[in-house]
Structures are given as structure tokens and as C-alpha cells.
Amino acid sequence: MTSERHQIQFFASLTVTISDIHKIRKHLEISQTKHEPLKNILTTPLFVGRQSLEEIRRLSELGHRVMFDSGGYYVQTGRISYDELYAALMKTYKLHQWAGIYVLPDNVPRSQDDGETVDRKVRDTIEQSVNFFRSMPDHLKPRAMPVVHGHTYRQIDDCLTAYVKLGIKQLGFGSFGTFGKNSQVNVATPSALEFARYTIQIAHQHGIRVHTFGLGVPVVVMMLYGIRADTFDSSSWLKAAGFGQIFLPLTRAYNITHKNSVSDLQRGIKWEEFRALCQVTGHECRLCDSRDTLQAHKMYRAAHNLIVLAETVEMLNSGNLERTRDIYRHTSARYQKEFDKWLPLS
């Protein structure tokens, strides 16, 4: 492999309470992991408490890289209007000038939106992002990240054309599929992945790095690596833990707290099967020593999931794709097919 091998980085979403930040860090210490899954942090300053933001600032001073998310997700789920977001975000960004990346205000289209609504949201995002960028303090502009949205190539192209003219160094892609109450869950639909891949190809031609928002189950990370995304973020490690789910490198989530054969997404996993998959994937951490503890405590599962995401990134960045395919050969014929689609060995 050459030194130009593609690398992807993970931003752990930490829009949580100060108590949860302390618990997560404590459990990472218990794990004795060699990884640093909180090396890069994404937080939404408009929707995180003052103490949490102060703690994240302290982490940034210790060398952790921090990305400020715009809060577009909260517009998407109805917590704040897009017009309210713009003014509040500008005030917050000017007050907190210590982050590494500042995401510009975006109006996220939903899968349920009709074509006219998507077109309006894309136009709003472009116009407001350009205006916001021009109003930012000059020294923050190199850290600005506008977001590409769209359900058509024309809409994607309109975003890219406007953002390239700004001279930005990085941009985000946020138009993945949405479902669930208030469209709060993002999914990697085939069409969205194709639009993301197209965005990345064009952006890289202009020397612009691309971040993908809101996807982070390990098997999807493989797909993001395959389309050459530079960075991604996820809160799925914490949300999944709350539902009793655990990750393993490169694979799907499994429910460790109970047996459930009704839903494939919630399918339970026996402890013996879990330990066997740990062997296959090479995962090891102290949080997995006790079945009872892992089943009973959300933060054990959350820290475990964080470590697994870091392991997934390390496996992909190592360039040993033969080992990745071998893991799928032992764990999932379906995901082996996905691997062959996004990361063919030949």
C-alpha cells in the first residue's frame, strides 16, 4: 500500500449532560482501551448545557478536535425553526471561537418531503450558508463547513457550485434518508449513498474534504470508507446502548439485554455467540468481561460501542481489506455483498 491510502476519521457526537460526559470518560478508562474514541468530538452548542460546553472546551484545550454542529437536526425534528437557528448560531459562534470546525446553518430535507419542499429547503440552505459565511469573523471562515443537501443531482450541483466559490476547505453531506418519529433517524439509502459519493468526488477535485452527518453503525462506516468520506459523526453508539444494543467491528448492532426474534433490527444475541464474534472481529475490552454487567449498564454498552467504532476505523485505515472481507465471510453474507459493492478487492 502507498502512503496515499485513504483515511477516515470519526467524530463522537457529545450533545449530552456533563454527568454523561464524565461517565463515558470513566468507562473508557475502565475499558483499558488503547484507542482514543473521543479524539474528535461533535457537539451542538445551541442544545448542550453550559457545563457540558465548558467541559468540551477543556477537552479541546487538551488536544481534542471539536466540531460545532449547526443544529440542523433540531430543525428537522421540529425543536427550532430555521429562521431562529440562524441568529442564535451566529451569536453562539462569535461567543465561542475555540472550536476547530463550524457547521453553517442547514435546513435538512426529509424523505417524506415533496419535491417542492426539498427544493425550497436546499435554496434556503445555500442562501443562508453563503450569507452566514460572509458575516462570520474573518479568522473563523477557514473553519466554516457548509452542508450539501438535495434529492437530485441538480440540487447537489447547486450546493457545490455555491460553496466552491466561497473557497471553503471542508463541507458536509447531510441528505441521508430519514424515518421514525419526527424523522429523527438517518439511514444510508442507496440513492443517498450515491449522492454522497458524487459530492465527495466533486469536492475532492477541488481539494475540499467531506464530512458525512449522522451515520455511524460499524457496517455503514465500511460503506462511508468505500465512497471515500474523510470524516463522519455518530450518536448511534449512545442511542443503541440505550436500547440494549451493542456493536462489533464492521458489523451490525445486536441486542445483548434480551432475546427478541420479532424484529431483525432488535434481534437478541446469546453470550456465547457474542464472545465468538469478538474472536472473529478481534474485539477486546474490559467492558466485555462480564455478561451481567454489560447487560445491566447502559454506559458499559455505550463505551464499548465507542471503542468498537474506533476499532472499525483503525481496521479500514490499515488497508487490510482482505481481513475485512474475511470478517464478513464469517458473519454476514449480506454484508459481504455490500463490501464487494463498495470496496471490491480487484
Side-chain angles (χ1 to χ4, degrees):
M1 294 287 179
T2 69
S3 60
E4 297 179 353
R5 183 173 62 236
H6 179 60
Q7 303 280 288
I8 191 169
Q9 295 183 50
F10 166 56
F11 279 75
S13 181
L14 268 189
T15 304
V16 296
T17 65
I18 183 67
S19 174
D20 280 347
I21 293 176
H22 289 158
K23 289 175 184 177
I24 291 161
R25 297 189 69 205
K26 172 189 173 184
H27 285 78
L28 288 174
E29 290 178 5
I30 292 171
S31 76
Q32 298 184 3
T33 180
K34 64 179 181 179
H35 298 285
E36 295 182 87
L38 294 181
K39 179 180 179 181
N40 301 308
I41 295 169
L42 176 140
T43 194
T44 309
L46 292 181
F47 290 91
V48 72
R50 179 181 56 81
Q51 288 183 316
S52 293
L53 196 57
E54 289 176 356
E55 178 67 7
I56 291 170
R57 177 172 185 167
R58 192 180 71 81
L59 291 174
S60 77
E61 292 169 350
L62 294 173
H64 298 246
R65 191 181 188 199
V66 176
M67 180 188 301
F68 275 174
D69 193 15
S70 67
Y73 168 81
Y74 296 93
V75 175
Q76 175 185 337
T77 56
R79 288 275 301 277
I80 187 174
S81 74
Y82 187 55
D83 290 338
E84 292 171 324
L85 178 69
Y86 185 102
L89 204 63
M90 181 63 74
K91 179 180 178 181
T92 299
Y93 283 3
K94 287 181 176 179
L95 183 62
H96 299 280
Q97 301 189 17
W98 46 267
I101 298 173
Y102 293 80
V103 179
L104 304 188
D106 59 320
N107 199 355
V108 183
R110 304 179 303 167
S111 293
Q112 300 89 338
D113 290 338
D114 59 30
E116 182 179 343
T117 301
V118 174
D119 210 47
R120 173 181 57 78
K121 287 183 174 181
V122 171
R123 289 197 310 271
D124 286 348
T125 296
I126 294 171
E127 292 172 5
Q128 298 286 51
S129 292
V130 170
N131 291 337
F132 195 98
F133 178 86
R134 290 173 176 165
S135 299
M136 292 178 77
D138 286 344
H139 67 280
L140 291 187
K141 289 179 179 177
R143 291 179 259 169
M145 176 184 281
V147 184
V148 170
H149 283 299
H151 290 176
T152 68
Y153 285 106
R154 178 188 60 79
Q155 292 164 346
I156 301 293
D157 284 339
D158 287 346
C159 290
L160 288 168
T161 298
Y163 300 157
V164 168
K165 287 180 180 177
L166 294 178
I168 48 92
K169 297 181 178 180
Q170 61 265 318
L171 58 81
F173 180 87
S175 279
F176 290 105
T178 59
F179 78 96
K181 183 180 179 182
N182 296 327
S183 300
Q184 60 186 343
V185 180
N186 287 355
V187 290
T189 61
S191 61
L193 281 170
E194 287 296 341
F195 284 136
R197 174 154 62 180
Y198 175 78
T199 298
I200 290 164
Q201 288 174 341
I202 301 302
H204 283 180
Q205 290 173 12
H206 293 275
I208 297 171
R209 293 170 58 81
V210 180
H211 178 87
T212 56
F213 284 99
L215 293 176
V217 178
V219 69
V220 175
V221 178
M222 175 271 290
M223 300 176 192
L224 296 178
Y225 182 86
I227 63 176
R228 301 184 70 80
D230 297 291
T231 55
F232 71 98
D233 69 85
S234 175
S235 61
S236 64
W237 54 275
L238 183 58
K239 291 179 180 177
F243 289 111
Q245 294 178 334
I246 51 169
F247 295 165
L248 282 166
L250 294 164
T251 67
R252 46 159 293 164
Y254 294 92
N255 196 303
I256 194 71
T257 58
H258 63 277
K259 292 182 65 176
N260 183 337
S261 59
V262 176
S263 166
D264 183 57
L265 286 175
Q266 284 284 338
R267 184 171 70 83
I269 185 171
K270 296 179 180 179
W271 183 251
E272 296 77 13
E273 184 183 1
F274 169 69
R275 295 307 306 173
L277 287 175
C278 286
Q279 293 262 333
V280 169
T281 60
H283 171 75
E284 183 179 0
C285 74
R286 293 291 300 277
L287 302 172
C288 299
D289 287 349
S290 167
R291 171 177 53 187
D292 293 341
T293 303
L294 194 61
Q295 288 179 333
H297 298 287
K298 172 186 172 181
M299 281 303 169
Y300 268 73
R301 297 190 296 273
H304 161 91
N305 289 345
L306 258 183
I307 294 164
V308 166
L309 283 168
E311 289 174 338
T312 297
V313 167
E314 183 181 76
M315 285 183 183
L316 292 167
N317 286 342
S318 74
N320 188 355
L321 299 184
E322 292 84 358
R323 167 153 172 70
T324 300
R325 192 177 192 278
D326 192 56
I327 288 173
Y328 290 131
R329 185 171 64 84
H330 284 89
T331 59
S332 171
R334 174 188 171 191
Y335 293 143
Q336 183 177 326
K337 289 180 181 178
E338 291 293 331
F339 173 87
D340 291 338
K341 176 182 179 180
W342 298 106
L343 284 166
L345 293 177
S346 59

